[in-house]
């Protein structure tokens, strides 16, 4: 007897099934939007497709009346700069801290409880302190991302370093490796793809911190724009921005995955076996 | 596969219908339960007091209805929820009433203009004493809010315009912390943050405040016009309750004032100092005089022009007169075919004549 669990979708239906939820959500939206707009043609909560088109045209394709720049491009560029810088700094810091924490017992003994405790501090709650230390400019926004994301990656990397089979480390020592050379030749190459994995997983968190930082004080940015027009319930601007952020996040995730696969083909292969 | 399609499309239709019913509850009808949203602000604490002490219930019962005052933590969220149809009434400023519900196509009526800001909003400069020193500085403020409007009006008074400064959007909750940082040199904000900063920082100089543009930032009770038309009882009960609390405040009732102070997170002295920079209309006759004065249409014209210039009158607004407004005595401003904001003196008049 054919069981449901053994039925496999064909290539065609695989594509169709994947698309289905998107189509359903879109249809649901259109229906609900139609009903609300029939009751009040100026309703702003669920705008029609044509208001989206107008909003996109206004934000992305028409230069701003006040500055002459394209707001959408400006917002995207400044947000990506902050996000990129924040994530890059976090990754480097995490690498510099995660390896010693996982590799050197004395460093672990001294720092591990502190890092674990520090990672539990909700950055949004101590925001006023961060303002005083880092000011209200770009530095504070990047710092918020770094403070929010770094502890997560550090703890993940520490775990990964500790998971390196002890046999490898003993072998390397019998071959005359010093602590330093073992870090460079054994630990680092194995940890690098795992760092990229950790960055992928924390990307969502990084976006949250970016948007919160921009909501607090900014003159441009994707999060800034959303919080600014939220005052006027301009869902015609907010929803395209949300879709764009989602797409960018998806794209980064995909690119990092492809990059890891290209540069460290053994990493994915290893995972498939286990 | 086809049957899955059929059943999902059925589900979809059903869900859309449910949403439809949700939306149709926006349509006015005679009802007996109402919700009004409010947020913490010096001029709105009397509503909380009226609710907590049963004054609202008493008046609602007199008219055979039920009214619930719902506290919302975020001011803009409260207005947005009202605009989306979740509440029958909401407390907001005149500018937000024009740019949020009215620009969103929701016809609203201002029933009680409880007070206006008479120093509650101000512009601060660090280590500088004159408003003209603001030239070239970056000003931290909540963009597109009454603070932004106040800044524009202040710059007008010294022959400058927004081009002479740079505006930096900053959350109102973070103003006090922001003042302590090095880069912040100019700020426009409102109470209690304003007095908090001035009390704690010797370098903070108040160079302009709303007492120099009196009567332009008005705090009011707004009710959905359709709901109001079908349920005038709601406005009658609320107006009655409001003036009952106003009478207590006019007498200086310490217990009532202390209650309001604590509910807004300060103490009696703090609350009284905020009241000093708020022009409250304690009696129906005072409020009636303000509501029917020629100042209101003149102020709303300025507010409408400011809002249009900043692109917050809504999509497709070709000029500042796109949204029509109606004032007592049959006066109007803007497009008479698109009246979305009405200033109504009916209920205040009834209160003044003792007919509630």
């Amino acid at each position: 007897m054919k069981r449901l669990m053994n039925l496999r979708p064909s290539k065609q239906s695989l594509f169709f099934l994947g698309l289905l939820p998107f189509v359903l959500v879109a249809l649901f939206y259109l229906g609900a939007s139609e009903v609300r707009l029939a009751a009040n043609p100026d309703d702003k909560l669920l705008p029609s497709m044509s208001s989206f088109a107008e909003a996109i045209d206004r934000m992305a394709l028409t230069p701003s009346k006040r500055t002459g720049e394209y707001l959408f491009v400006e917002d995207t560029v400044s947000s990506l700069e902050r996000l990129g810088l924040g994530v890059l700094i976090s990754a480097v810091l995490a690498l510099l801290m995660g390896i010693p924490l996982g590799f050197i017992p004395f460093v672990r003994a001294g720092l591990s409880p502190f890092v674990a405790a520090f990672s539990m501090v909700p950055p949004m709650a101590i925001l006023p302190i961060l303002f005083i230390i880092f000011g209200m400019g770009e530095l504070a926004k990047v710092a918020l991302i770094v403070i929010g994301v770094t502890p997560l990656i550090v703890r993940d990397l520490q775990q990964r370093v500790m998971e390196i089979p002890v046999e490898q480390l003993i072998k390397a020592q019998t071959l005359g490796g010093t602590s330093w050379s073992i870090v460079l030749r054994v630990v680092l190459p194995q940890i690098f793809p795992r760092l990229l994995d950790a960055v992928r997983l924390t990307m969502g968190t990084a976006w949250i911190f970016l948007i919160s930082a921009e909501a607090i004080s900014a003159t441009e940015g994707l999060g800034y724009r959303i919080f600014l027009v939220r005052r006027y319930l301009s869902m015609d601007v907010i929803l395209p921005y949300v879709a764009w952020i989602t797409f960018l996040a998806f794209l980064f995730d995909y690119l990092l995955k492809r990059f890891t696969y290209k540069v460290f083909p053994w990493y994915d292969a290893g995972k498939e076996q286990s | 596969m086809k049957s899955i399609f059929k059943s999902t499309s059925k589900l979809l239709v059903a869900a859309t219908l449910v949403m439809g019913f949700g939306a149709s509850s926006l349509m006015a009808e005679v009802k007996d339960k109402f919700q009004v949203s409010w947020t913490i602000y010096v001029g709105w604490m009397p509503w909380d007091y009226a609710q907590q002490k049963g004054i609202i219930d008493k008046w609602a019962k007199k008219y055979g209805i039920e009214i619930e005052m719902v506290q919302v933590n975020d001011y803009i969220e409260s207005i947005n929820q009202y605009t989306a149809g979740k509440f029958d009434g909401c407390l907001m400023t005149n500018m937000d009433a024009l740019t949020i519900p009215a620009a969103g196509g929701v016809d609203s009526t201002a029933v009680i203009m409880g007070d206006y800001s008479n120093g509650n909003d101000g512009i601060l400069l660090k280590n500088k004493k004159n408003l003209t020193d603001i030239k070239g500085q970056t000003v931290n403020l909540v963009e597109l809010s009454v603070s932004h409007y106040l800044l524009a009006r202040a710059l007008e008074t010294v022959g400058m315009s927004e081009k002479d400064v740079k505006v930096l959007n900053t959350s109102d909750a973070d103003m006090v912390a922001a003042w302590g940082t090095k880069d912040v040199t100019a700020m426009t904000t409102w109470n209690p943050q304003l007095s908090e900063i001035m009390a704690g920082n010797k370098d903070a100089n108040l160079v302009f405040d709303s007492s120099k543009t009196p009567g332009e930032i008005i705090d009011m009770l707004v009710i959905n016009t359709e709901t109001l038309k079908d349920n005038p009882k709601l406005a009658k009960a609320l107006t009655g309750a409001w003036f009952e609390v106003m009478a207590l405040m006019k007498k200086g009732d310490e217990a009532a004032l202390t209650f309001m102070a604590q509910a807004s997170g300060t103490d009696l002295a703090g609350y009284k100092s905020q009241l000093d920079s708020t022009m409250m209309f304690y009696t129906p006759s005072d409020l009636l005089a303000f509501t029917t004065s020629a100042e209101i249409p003149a102020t709303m014209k300025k507010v409408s022009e400011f809002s249009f210039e900043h692109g917050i009158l809504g999509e497709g607004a070709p000029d500042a007169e796109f949204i029509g407004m109606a004032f007592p005595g049959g006066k109007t401003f803007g497009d008479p075919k698109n009246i979305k904001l009405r200033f109504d003196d009916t209920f205040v008049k009834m209160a003044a004549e003792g007919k509630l």
Side-chain angles (χ1 to χ4, degrees):
Chain A
M1 196 182 92
K2 271 268 183 192
R3 288 183 175 81
L4 185 61
M5 55 183 285
N6 292 325
L7 293 179
R8 304 247 170 225
S10 68
K11 263 217 167 132
Q12 227 176 342
S13 51
L14 206 62
F15 174 76
F16 179 74
L17 284 173
L19 202 64
L20 189 65
F22 290 97
V23 173
L24 285 182
V25 168
L27 283 177
F28 183 77
Y29 179 89
L30 285 177
S33 161
E34 191 128 322
V35 170
R36 280 194 74 96
L37 287 173
N40 169 11
D42 290 327
D43 182 64
K44 286 174 145 188
L45 198 67
L46 304 177
S48 67
M49 286 302 138
S50 62
S51 0
F52 284 137
E54 276 168 34
I56 293 169
D57 177 59
R58 194 173 70 250
M59 304 302 294
L61 306 172
T62 317
S64 151
K65 270 183 220 146
R66 286 167 74 193
T67 58
E69 281 157 342
Y70 295 93
L71 290 178
F72 183 73
V73 177
E74 209 185 338
D75 287 340
T76 306
V77 169
S78 40
S79 280
L80 288 186
E81 270 173 16
R82 288 167 191 150
L83 188 78
L85 200 58
V87 170
L88 188 72
I89 295 175
S90 304
V92 171
L93 278 179
L95 201 60
L96 290 179
M97 292 170 71
I99 293 178
L101 271 167
F103 193 62
I104 317 254
F106 263 99
V107 175
R108 181 157 64 244
L111 276 182
S112 185
F114 178 75
V115 170
F118 187 80
S119 71
M120 299 299 164
V121 173
M124 298 307 291
I126 53 160
L127 211 51
I129 302 181
L130 298 184
F131 280 158
I132 307 286
I133 301 175
F134 299 109
M136 299 276 291
E138 289 301 293
L139 187 58
K141 295 180 195 80
V142 175
L144 188 65
I145 298 174
V146 171
I147 290 173
V149 168
T150 309
L152 301 177
I153 312 185
V154 170
R155 295 187 73 193
D156 189 56
L157 280 193
Q158 178 190 336
Q159 279 305 315
R160 301 296 154 249
V161 172
M162 288 168 71
E163 278 168 14
I164 292 178
V166 77
E167 293 84 350
Q168 281 184 22
L169 301 178
I170 293 172
K171 179 93 181 197
Q173 288 178 64
T174 59
L175 292 170
T178 61
S179 294
W180 178 238
S181 66
I182 291 175
V183 166
L184 286 185
R185 305 286 295 276
V186 180
V187 177
L188 202 57
Q190 296 196 55
I191 272 322
F192 213 81
R194 293 185 164 93
L195 172 71
L196 292 176
D197 250 4
V199 166
R200 265 178 66 202
L201 288 175
T202 46
M203 218 52 183
T205 317
W207 275 101
I208 294 177
F209 284 114
L210 172 75
I211 286 169
S212 319
E214 289 182 339
I216 287 151
S217 150
T219 50
E220 76 290 290
L222 296 167
Y224 159 79
R225 194 71 53 197
I226 287 178
F227 275 84
L228 185 65
V229 302
R230 201 180 68 135
R231 289 182 73 88
Y232 298 97
L233 210 68
S234 300
M235 297 310 287
D236 55 341
V237 175
I238 295 177
L239 292 178
Y241 263 66
V242 170
W244 177 239
I245 290 174
T246 311
F247 172 74
L248 285 177
F250 182 81
L251 186 72
F252 286 151
D253 191 70
Y254 178 77
L255 290 179
L256 273 172
K257 198 166 127 187
R258 292 294 301 173
F259 179 77
T260 315
Y261 182 74
K262 272 263 178 295
V263 181
F264 309 101
W266 56 267
Y267 180 58
D268 258 3
K271 262 200 294 196
E272 216 123 303
Q273 280 165 15
S274 60
Chain B
M1 197 48 95
K2 263 194 181 154
S3 69
I4 293 181
F5 239 168
K6 252 186 196 165
S7 55
T8 41
S9 66
K10 263 183 201 160
L11 195 71
L12 195 69
V13 170
T16 314
L17 282 177
V18 170
M19 290 285 279
F21 284 127
S24 72
S25 70
L26 284 174
M27 301 293 187
E29 66 216 79
V30 177
K31 41 185 208 168
D32 49 15
K33 276 188 188 156
F34 301 91
Q35 285 190 317
V36 176
S37 63
W38 72 284
T39 37
I40 289 191
Y41 172 72
V42 50
W44 292 332
M45 298 320 291
W47 288 112
D48 180 46
Y49 179 80
Q51 159 98 340
Q52 302 291 334
K53 294 289 173 185
I55 297 171
I56 298 243
D57 282 348
K58 191 183 86 182
W59 281 88
K61 202 174 269 172
K62 179 176 173 182
Y63 288 100
I65 55 175
E66 278 176 50
I67 303 173
E68 191 192 347
M69 302 292 296
V70 182
Q71 190 194 338
V72 178
N73 259 327
D74 186 284
Y75 169 67
I76 293 300
E77 202 49 46
S78 156
I79 305 175
N80 282 346
Q81 294 280 326
Y82 161 79
T83 307
K86 176 92 175 44
F87 295 110
D88 304 293
C90 177
L91 302 175
M92 64 185 87
T93 69
N94 52 334
M95 179 175 150
D96 294 319
L98 177 68
T99 56
I100 307 178
V106 174
D107 191 335
S108 300
T109 302
V111 172
I112 299 174
M113 298 200 252
D115 68 277
Y116 64 73
S117 169
N118 198 20
N120 261 329
D121 301 70
I123 302 174
L124 296 170
L125 287 185
K126 212 179 245 177
N127 300 320
K128 298 267 173 66
K129 293 240 158 64
N130 294 312
L131 177 59
T132 44
D133 294 328
I134 205 169
K135 196 174 173 88
Q137 296 208 35
T138 298
V139 187
N140 292 68
L141 51 75
V142 178
E143 226 175 293
L144 307 182
S145 72
V146 288
S147 288
H148 202 159
Y149 172 75
L150 183 74
L151 176 70
R153 293 280 291 129
L155 291 170
E156 233 171 68
T157 64
V158 288
M160 288 196 268
S161 76
E162 255 189 79
K163 289 195 188 86
D164 295 303
V165 295
K166 201 173 161 227
V167 165
L168 178 60
N169 187 46
T170 308
S171 154
D172 56 322
D174 295 303
M175 287 297 181
V176 182
W179 185 266
T181 68
K182 207 165 70 260
D183 343 337
V184 174
T185 55
M187 182 180 280
T188 307
T189 188
W190 56 77
N191 269 329
Q193 294 94 309
L194 185 67
S195 48
E196 185 76 18
I197 293 170
M198 292 207 295
N201 297 279
K202 286 204 181 103
D203 57 5
N205 294 309
L206 185 70
V207 294
F208 191 91
D209 69 39
S210 53
S211 66
K212 290 174 187 152
T213 56
E216 292 191 19
I217 299 174
I218 309 165
D219 303 304
M220 37 194 218
L221 167 72
V222 167
I223 297 178
N224 183 299
T225 302
E226 296 250 359
T227 309
L228 181 65
K229 210 181 284 167
D230 296 338
N231 307 276
K233 285 173 176 177
L234 172 63
K236 287 182 191 172
L238 287 170
T239 311
W242 175 255
F243 282 112
E244 187 172 331
V245 183
M246 284 303 107
L248 286 178
M249 288 178 80
K250 191 171 190 249
K251 274 195 311 198
D253 189 312
E254 293 254 316
L257 289 174
T258 308
F259 182 96
M260 293 178 209
Q262 279 170 357
S264 64
T266 176
D267 55 10
L268 185 58
Y271 188 65
K272 274 185 174 166
S273 83
Q274 289 181 36
L275 275 178
D276 288 342
S277 49
T278 311
M279 175 64 202
M280 299 287 304
F281 295 104
Y282 290 118
T283 65
S285 54
D286 284 353
L287 180 54
L288 187 62
F290 180 66
T291 308
T292 50
S293 70
E295 276 172 51
I296 305 286
T299 297
M300 289 317 293
K301 181 171 183 284
K302 279 182 210 154
V303 171
S304 191
E305 279 160 3
F306 171 86
S307 305
F308 172 69
E309 277 161 26
H310 288 81
I312 48 179
L313 267 197
E315 281 327 301
D319 56 44
E321 307 201 350
F322 173 65
I323 297 174
M325 287 182 266
F327 303 97
K331 278 175 276 185
T332 59
F333 170 83
D335 186 353
K337 282 190 225 87
N338 187 33
I339 289 188
K340 293 292 182 202
L341 183 58
R342 297 156 204 272
F343 292 81
D344 191 350
D345 62 347
T346 318
F347 302 97
V348 179
K349 200 178 268 170
M350 288 176 85
E353 291 165 356
K355 285 185 184 160
L356 284 177

